[in-house]
Amino acid sequence: MNKYHQISLSVNGKNIQREVPARLMLADFLRQDLSLTGTHLGCEHGVCGACTVLLDGDAVRSCLMFAVQADGREITTIEGLTPNEGLSSLQKSFCDHHALQCGFCTPGMIVTAEAFLQRGGKIDEASAREAISGNLCRCTGYQPIVAAIVVESKRRTTTAEAGDAR
Ligand code: FES
Ligand code: FES
């Protein structure tokens, strides 16, 4: 018998309450119950990173978490990282660098990269490569993906420094 649980969580800034089966995965909950289909499912066993979302700001694989484990937590999906009026600066950097081919891995890449950029610290080609090492791009387009992340990191640093100098 499938046991149901009441959960209450924040998804992309909205409070959500639902009754969900105990074994419903978070990725399926986001895609099927909330129609947030930007979270992709590739391997469904924690290898490819296509299903990455932010859980209280940390990048996690939503195919490895039950929806009930997100009770009381804050989830951000690729939709939540995309401004209403267009693309985020990181998304624009991906476009500028042609950092997507089929695009299937792209939402997970962007979510992982955003968590990496927000953590701060030293960002260069090597650390960007390591940050996305858990996200597979089957088209092997890693070079432009890394370039897009590093350039966006430099842009953010320059913007922050210009703000400090004011
Ligand atoms: S679908 Fe979750 S890691 Fe591949
Ligand atoms: S762009 Fe094709 S899998 Fe990443």
Side-chain angles (χ1 to χ4, degrees):
M1 195 180 76
N2 211 344
K3 202 168 168 216
Y4 280 72
H5 296 271
Q6 184 72 31
I7 59 170
S8 170
L9 68 162
S10 161
V11 179
N12 298 334
K14 284 193 197 132
N15 292 324
I16 307 276
Q17 267 114 36
R18 289 282 196 289
E19 196 162 83
V20 294
R23 298 188 64 79
L24 179 67
M25 303 315 293
L26 178 60
D28 294 324
F29 173 68
L30 294 170
R31 289 177 54 82
Q32 290 162 20
D33 292 47
L34 304 185
S35 300
L36 293 170
T37 52
T39 298
H40 290 169
L41 278 167
C43 65
E44 298 189 63
H45 63 273
V47 174
C48 73
C51 65
T52 306
V53 298
L54 299 182
L55 173 75
D56 296 335
D58 292 325
V60 298
R61 279 142 160 55
S62 59
C63 73
L64 292 183
M65 262 187 81
F66 292 119
V68 292
Q69 291 177 295
D71 185 34
R73 314 291 289 273
E74 195 172 303
I75 301 290
T76 307
T77 67
I78 187 66
E79 289 87 350
L81 293 177
T82 307
N84 289 335
E85 64 277 10
L87 300 175
S88 70
S89 53
L90 177 59
Q91 288 167 327
K92 282 186 193 143
S93 190
F94 267 62
C95 289
D96 292 345
H97 290 86
H98 307 289
L100 52 157
Q101 293 171 73
C102 75
F104 194 83
C105 66
T106 310
M109 286 282 185
I110 299 261
V111 173
T112 299
E114 189 57 54
F116 169 62
L117 291 169
Q118 285 181 14
R119 263 201 313 276
K122 183 169 176 249
I123 295 183
D124 56 14
E125 192 182 320
S127 62
R129 247 175 225 290
E130 191 179 338
I132 59 152
S133 59
N135 290 69
L136 303 183
C137 173
R138 290 156 183 80
C139 334
T140 67
Y142 296 105
Q143 204 74 25
I145 292 169
V146 168
I149 296 168
V150 171
V151 167
E152 171 60 7
S153 152
K154 287 186 183 144
R155 191 201 63 77
R156 289 188 191 191
T157 306
T158 309
T159 307
E161 284 171 358
D164 287 348
R166 270 189 216 127

